[in-house]
Amino acid sequence: KKGYTEAAGIAGMVMGFAIYISLFFYGTMIMKGVMEEKTSRIVEVLTSSVKPFQLLMGKIIGVGAVGLTQFILWIVLMFGVNVIVGIIFGVTVGSQQPAMGTMQGTGIDADEMQLVMKNLSSLPFMQMAIFFPLYFLGGFLLYGSLFAAVGAAMGEDGDQQSLMVPITVPIIISIFIAINVINNPDSALGFWGSIIPLTSPVVMSALLPFRPAWWQIAMSLVLLVGGFILTTYIAAKIYRVGILMYGKKISFKEMARWIFSRQ
């Protein structure tokens, strides 16, 4: 369909970058919060009242609720802007015929505007509005637990930035896959990128405007939930030991020993 690919590509890129930036922003917020509690020794008081796992999940869910509320406000704002633009200029995303008289003298090609609005109205907005927050929440919970684990394992001077590499690399790879998906939504790379939990929040968000199959979305969400459960288990093992460890540089080998410990 003429023009639909461009409209879907723009919407997919906006949503993909929104998830990409949010994972870094909110994940870093959790990591810095954990590091601050650790360096100030506040965590010693907190762990005397609650279990480390409860403290970990409370921090992740709290920051995640803030991010989810922000995304919901963005969605409401988008619909609000659409209504206001419709009232002022006589053009809305759902309209098939924009008001021609209102665009005379503005330098805007009426035919191009009509085509853009028609293509935008064809996008699956309901599907996007439902699944976009779900993928944000799933991706945040998955990566948020890992960022919290890294914050707990870092020393007081925060000199172990190398511990962040295994977390940041999948997020960066996912945005490159998302760009490829926009150019070729039916590719095998796009399919596997939308299924693997570490990349699916960004890639599937970019793929939603292209109307992926329902079974693909369902499989992606199930694996994303499974990935969150696994990363939370791993993060809890690291967090439990690392949050009370001071003055020692932590290696990946030692973190692996914490994960496989039966305690």
Side-chain angles (χ1 to χ4, degrees):
K1 184 177 178 181
K2 183 179 180 181
Y4 182 86
T5 301
E6 289 76 8
I10 293 173
M13 183 58 68
V14 169
M15 292 195 300
F17 265 104
I19 297 289
Y20 170 76
I21 295 173
S22 298
L23 291 179
F24 273 114
F25 179 77
Y26 293 111
T28 304
M29 184 185 299
I30 291 178
M31 183 183 68
K32 289 183 177 180
V34 172
M35 291 176 60
E36 182 179 356
E37 292 174 355
K38 180 178 179 179
T39 55
S40 62
R41 305 298 176 96
I42 296 177
V43 70
E44 296 179 2
V45 179
L46 295 176
T47 52
S48 65
S49 302
V50 298
K51 296 180 179 180
F53 179 76
Q54 294 174 331
L55 184 62
L56 170 67
M57 292 305 300
K59 184 173 294 294
I60 295 173
I61 293 174
V63 177
V66 173
L68 185 60
T69 302
Q70 185 176 14
F71 273 108
I72 293 175
L73 291 176
W74 286 354
I75 294 173
V76 172
L77 179 62
M78 289 172 59
F79 283 105
V81 170
N82 182 39
V83 173
I84 294 174
V85 170
I87 295 174
I88 298 177
F89 298 103
V91 179
T92 61
V93 171
S95 65
Q96 298 297 319
Q97 297 291 337
M100 307 297 291
T102 56
M103 293 191 296
Q104 293 179 355
T106 61
I108 300 176
D109 191 306
D111 293 334
E112 291 183 3
M113 178 62 71
Q114 181 178 353
L115 181 60
V116 169
M117 293 300 147
K118 187 176 181 180
N119 289 326
L120 288 176
S121 66
S122 301
L123 294 177
F125 282 105
M126 185 60 66
Q127 177 176 300
M128 292 159 57
I130 293 174
F131 291 111
F132 179 66
L134 291 180
Y135 276 103
F136 161 75
L137 188 60
F140 171 79
L141 292 174
L142 189 151
Y143 279 102
S145 60
L146 295 179
F147 273 106
V150 169
M154 282 186 178
E156 295 185 12
D157 54 356
D159 59 348
Q160 302 182 45
Q161 298 297 326
S162 60
L163 295 177
M164 293 182 59
V165 174
I167 305 176
T168 57
V169 168
I171 303 178
I172 296 174
I173 291 175
S174 65
I175 195 62
F176 285 105
I177 297 177
I179 295 174
N180 179 272
V181 164
I182 291 173
N183 296 323
N184 189 7
D186 296 325
S187 64
L189 178 62
F191 171 78
W192 289 109
S194 67
I195 294 298
I196 299 174
L198 291 175
T199 59
S200 63
V202 175
V203 176
M204 184 57 86
S205 296
L207 195 61
L208 285 175
F210 295 95
R211 303 176 186 272
W214 284 99
W215 64 265
Q216 183 177 348
I217 297 176
M219 181 185 298
S220 177
L221 288 173
V222 169
L223 292 178
L224 184 58
V225 172
F228 160 63
I229 295 174
L230 177 61
T231 56
T232 302
Y233 172 79
I234 294 174
K237 287 277 192 175
I238 299 174
Y239 187 90
R240 179 179 59 83
V241 180
I243 197 66
L244 297 175
M245 185 171 291
Y246 303 96
K248 181 180 180 180
K249 291 186 177 182
I250 308 301
S251 63
F252 288 111
K253 183 178 180 179
E254 187 166 2
M255 291 173 64
R257 187 166 61 250
W258 296 348
I259 295 172
F260 293 104
S261 173
R262 294 185 179 181
Q263 296 181 354

